[in-house]
Amino acid sequence: MNLIQKLEQEEMQRMKKIVPEFSPGDTVIVRVNVVEGDKKREQAFEGVVIAKRNRGLRSAFTVRKISSGEGVERSFQTYSPLIAGVEVKRKGEVRRSKLYYLRDRSGKGARIREKLGERLGESVAPGAEGGATE
């Protein structure tokens, strides 16, 4: 581990930012600190994670939502002080790491299946997937 990586690790530990595990396809609510004049407030941005970039302190993710019939994308730095928190609302089942194809789709074509048993931190117990009992 070189010096730059050590400094990044120390900075990440100093920030003590708790980021939940999420991946592309998940629906997340990102709470962003907004400053308007001398007032501060939190604004929620809810959408689907279409890309995630894991680069240590320089990690980022892109969230896409539909607002008034228009697609809106926003990129967030994972360890930015502007982010108050990230909450995973729904886990999505996708096969790709970058979901840029959602930009061209609308309506039912833009839906993502939900992972069963993964909603809000629940997990299926091993051996409890179903099936007949003897």
Side-chain angles (χ1 to χ4, degrees):
M1 188 182 292
N2 63 16
L3 183 63
I4 293 174
Q5 290 174 338
K6 287 181 183 176
L7 290 172
E8 285 182 359
Q9 288 291 333
E10 290 174 9
E11 185 67 19
M12 286 169 48
Q13 290 173 356
R14 187 186 66 80
M15 294 175 85
K16 295 178 184 163
K17 186 167 281 250
I18 298 169
V19 181
E21 283 294 319
F22 62 91
S23 58
D26 295 352
T27 302
V28 295
I29 301 172
V30 183
R31 293 191 320 275
V32 184
N33 291 325
V34 177
V35 179
E36 294 173 338
D38 57 345
K39 297 179 197 168
K40 285 186 179 180
R41 64 181 177 87
E42 280 187 9
Q43 185 176 31
F45 190 90
E46 181 178 346
V48 177
V49 177
I50 63 168
K52 191 171 177 186
R53 182 174 186 260
N54 295 315
R55 300 288 187 275
L57 190 62
R58 297 179 306 276
S59 296
F61 59 98
T62 304
V63 180
R64 179 178 176 83
K65 74 174 184 176
I66 305 298
S67 178
S68 302
E70 192 73 23
V72 179
E73 287 183 14
R74 190 162 175 193
S75 293
F76 298 100
Q77 298 296 319
T78 306
Y79 294 99
S80 171
L82 294 178
I83 294 182
V86 178
E87 177 188 340
V88 179
K89 187 174 181 184
R90 175 176 181 260
K91 291 284 202 180
E93 185 177 349
V94 294
R95 299 173 120 191
R96 297 173 182 264
S97 61
K98 304 289 191 239
L99 305 178
Y100 298 134
Y101 66 89
L102 290 177
R103 294 172 177 165
D104 301 329
R105 299 192 181 188
S106 63
K108 285 186 178 181
R111 286 189 302 189
I112 295 175
R113 285 188 317 229
E114 185 172 359
K115 279 188 186 174
L116 298 177
E118 293 286 332
R119 188 170 194 165
L120 300 176
E122 298 173 6
S123 62
V124 176
E129 285 86 18
T133 57
E134 297 175 17

